[in-house]
Amino acid sequence: YYSKAVELGTMRKTAYYNAANLYLKDPKSGEAVFAIQFLDRLIEIYSTDADAYFLRGSAYSIEGDNIPSLAADNYKKSIIDYEKVIELTLEKTLKDGKFVLLKPDDMGLLADAYYNKAVTTINYAGETSFNDSIYYSYCKDLKNAEKWGHKSALKLAKQLNCR
């Protein structure tokens, strides 16, 4: 039904999210590509929807895990989507040139985006040549994730010897 609603041109975000989530239910199914198609369309309609970028970033990571030949490219796309989530969410902290508090959901999304970006960067580094800038990148993201309330970020940063 969600697919049919999308096919008929609905503008309702819920149809796109639910259709994408159905294809992501089993990460090992190899169907993340279909979720990405729904999310691409959603982002065409709602280009500032941080949740859509977050879900698509997750779908790219899943597809990268499932298809080794596409891993590096999909991890890179995932990182770009997480960066977009961070950008869109941080834009909400400024209103009329003044800092405002984020809602708890936005803070959680921001923390998760930083954390997922760090983990995806580590996976991406495994597919490319590892260097110091990659190390500093994921360490910085883990620190930001912890700052915004992600509970596992500090533990992972310690395991990876981030300073």
Side-chain angles (χ1 to χ4, degrees):
Y1 291 110
Y2 298 125
S3 298
K4 191 66 169 170
V6 169
E7 186 180 306
L8 293 173
T10 185
M11 300 294 276
R12 295 183 53 90
K13 292 179 183 181
T14 307
Y16 291 91
Y17 283 121
N18 290 340
N21 276 318
L22 287 173
Y23 287 110
L24 296 174
K25 252 187 169 172
D26 179 9
K28 296 190 185 314
S29 70
E31 295 181 332
V33 66
F34 300 115
I36 292 167
Q37 292 170 357
F38 283 106
L39 295 164
D40 284 346
R41 180 71 181 117
L42 178 60
I43 290 168
E44 282 177 25
I45 298 167
Y46 299 100
S47 63
T48 60
D49 188 326
D51 291 312
Y53 284 99
F54 185 87
L55 191 56
R56 189 174 71 175
S58 299
Y60 276 128
S61 285
I62 290 168
E63 189 176 31
D65 290 344
N66 287 333
I67 306 171
S69 62
L70 300 176
D73 190 43
N74 282 328
Y75 291 148
K76 191 173 185 179
K77 290 176 184 176
S78 180
I79 291 166
I80 290 167
D81 277 352
Y82 292 133
E83 288 172 345
K84 187 69 174 179
V85 172
I86 293 164
E87 173 192 328
L88 290 169
T89 307
L90 286 176
E91 283 177 2
K92 292 181 180 182
T93 64
L94 281 176
K95 189 171 192 171
D96 299 324
K98 297 179 182 176
F99 285 104
V100 295
L101 293 176
L102 287 175
K103 295 176 185 171
D105 283 349
D106 289 330
M107 289 175 31
L109 180 64
L110 188 56
D112 288 343
Y114 275 118
Y115 184 83
N116 285 11
K117 182 180 172 227
V119 171
T120 304
T121 300
I122 293 165
N123 288 338
Y124 178 67
E127 298 294 326
T128 60
S129 57
F130 191 83
N131 60 46
D132 284 345
S133 70
I134 291 174
Y135 169 81
Y136 291 117
S137 173
Y138 71 72
C139 286
K140 181 180 175 187
D141 288 334
L142 288 170
K143 288 176 185 175
N144 280 323
E146 195 264 332
K147 175 178 119 180
W148 288 100
H150 199 287
K151 305 244 186 278
S152 302
L154 186 59
K155 181 179 176 184
L156 182 58
K158 285 180 181 179
Q159 288 175 343
L160 297 170
N161 295 318
C162 291
R163 298 176 212 115

